[in-house]
Amino acid sequence: MQTATLLRRKSLRVAPLFAASLLAAAAFAAPVMAAAPDAGQAQYEPQVGQAGKDVVWVPTPQALVDKMLDMSQAKPGDFVVDLGSGDGRTVITAAKRGITAHGVEFNPDMVALAERNAKAAGVADKATFTAGDLFQYDLSKADVITMFLLPSINERLKPELLKLNPGTRIVANSFRMGDWTPDEEATVGDGCTNWCTALLWIVPANVAGSWSVDGKTLKLEQINQELTGTLGDAAISDARMLGNQISFTADGKRYTGTLEDKVLKGTVEGGGAWHATRA
Ligand SMILES: C[S@@+](CC[C@H](N)C(=O)[O-])C[C@H]1O[C@@H](n2cnc3c(N)ncnc32)[C@H](O)[C@@H]1O
């Protein structure tokens, strides 16, 4: 079916930005990874822009798949989950790097295709897939979550993502996540013409509240990874959590540290250590 027809059918359900971009996306669409058809099985060929449960299928360009995995610092021993895994390219690329990876995809034909692609790539042991709704998948074991969904879907996922273990990395193709600003952003060049920007969020530890720091009180308010508050009488600035790592400036001094076993500890720029426990 033609992409234009699909767009007309989906126009009420697909976010306008994504829908408007699909025609452009169709022009760049990378060919689906080749897979040897199983004996007696007709080859399924997905069409860029085809309907999905909550998001249509548009593949992430391979250069951006590579960039997203690089940014996440995924490594062997990590567990990578791709939400809405399409033809399996992100999961398979992770598996080729020696990483155990799993895709969740609503369309069973796409799951079967991804499984054939993983087998053809020789990584079926490390690259696995579930046919199901991404909103029902238990993300608690993921070290890295990748996704190419929509801003509205990212926002729906946000409350659950913020409850994951501090340090869990989330990387999205192109779309933001409401008021949770990305910790890092990068765009690939080199032949990538559409959907070329990767956004990284690192789940922050929750440190909101009062802490005792060497005779002073550190009061912290937290929205996502952003911190505001005071150390003694001084307002803190440039303050944030990156996973378990805290940094802020107070009284002209830069404090950095780590949350470990409910204790914040680290160093003050220019010399000295600091240590905080819940007040
Ligand atoms: C834009 S594509 C991205 C595919 C792949 N992650 C990539 O980057 O190449 C979005 C995928 O999400 C799937 N999808 C849409 N809604 C879903 C849902 N609720 N649960 C699981 N998969 C879903 C679609 O079928 C489609 O394959």
Side-chain angles (χ1 to χ4, degrees):
M1 189 176 293
Q2 294 303 305
T3 304
T5 312
L6 281 165
L7 279 177
R8 276 195 297 279
R9 280 179 34 189
K10 291 287 293 174
S11 60
L12 292 176
R13 283 187 286 154
V14 177
L17 173 63
F18 202 30
S21 305
L22 280 177
L23 286 171
F28 88 89
V32 172
M33 289 177 214
D38 290 347
Q41 186 178 23
Q43 190 62 54
Y44 169 71
E45 286 190 25
Q47 304 297 310
V48 172
Q50 73 183 21
K53 182 173 180 291
D54 294 297
V55 187
V56 298
W57 177 64
V58 175
T60 295
Q62 186 60 40
L64 194 69
V65 170
D66 293 333
K67 185 69 184 177
M68 288 168 69
L69 290 172
D70 290 349
M71 271 172 86
S72 75
Q73 298 189 12
K75 56 189 180 311
D78 282 341
F79 181 46
V80 172
V81 175
D82 189 37
L83 295 178
S85 48
D87 64 6
R89 61 186 60 204
T90 304
V91 172
I92 291 167
T93 303
K96 285 179 175 170
R97 296 181 179 199
I99 301 161
T100 301
H102 190 72
V104 187
E105 167 59 53
F106 198 78
N107 180 336
D109 290 329
M110 291 301 274
V111 171
L113 173 65
E115 284 171 343
R116 287 196 296 276
N117 289 341
K119 199 170 158 192
V123 292
D125 56 333
K126 284 200 154 29
T128 56
F129 301 88
T130 296
D133 189 337
L134 63 89
F135 288 106
Q136 305 300 322
Y137 188 77
D138 174 9
L139 291 167
S140 62
K141 293 194 173 55
D143 300 292
V144 171
I145 297 163
T146 56
M147 54 199 199
F148 182 20
L149 299 167
L150 285 170
S152 57
I153 307 285
N154 293 359
E155 269 213 77
R156 256 176 85 188
L157 286 168
K158 189 184 98 165
E160 292 310 311
L161 297 176
L162 278 166
K163 285 184 207 152
L164 295 175
N165 291 330
T168 304
R169 289 91 79 199
I170 299 149
V171 202
N173 177 341
S174 297
F175 294 122
R176 309 186 89 81
M177 195 151 18
D179 68 356
W180 189 4
T181 47
D183 292 300
E184 201 181 322
E185 201 169 327
T187 299
V188 292
D190 288 341
C192 188
T193 51
N194 285 294
W195 312 116
C196 304
T197 297
L199 308 167
L200 169 75
W201 295 264
I202 298 178
V203 174
N206 182 358
V207 292
S210 289
W211 297 79
S212 300
V213 187
D214 309 324
K216 287 184 182 171
T217 301
L218 173 66
K219 284 191 183 156
L220 296 175
E221 284 168 27
Q222 181 168 1
I223 298 177
N224 306 321
Q225 76 276 56
E226 314 284 347
L227 300 174
T228 51
T230 50
L231 176 59
D233 293 332
I236 63 168
S237 59
D238 197 9
R240 67 203 291 243
M241 291 304 295
L242 200 61
N244 280 313
Q245 292 168 6
I246 188 170
S247 56
F248 62 89
T249 299
D251 269 333
K253 292 181 198 152
R254 187 78 185 148
Y255 290 71
T256 54
T258 306
L259 178 69
E260 224 174 285
D261 296 332
K262 299 184 181 170
V263 176
L264 283 169
K265 54 184 162 190
T267 54
V268 188
E269 200 177 19
W274 67 284
H275 175 278
T277 49
R278 289 269 182 197

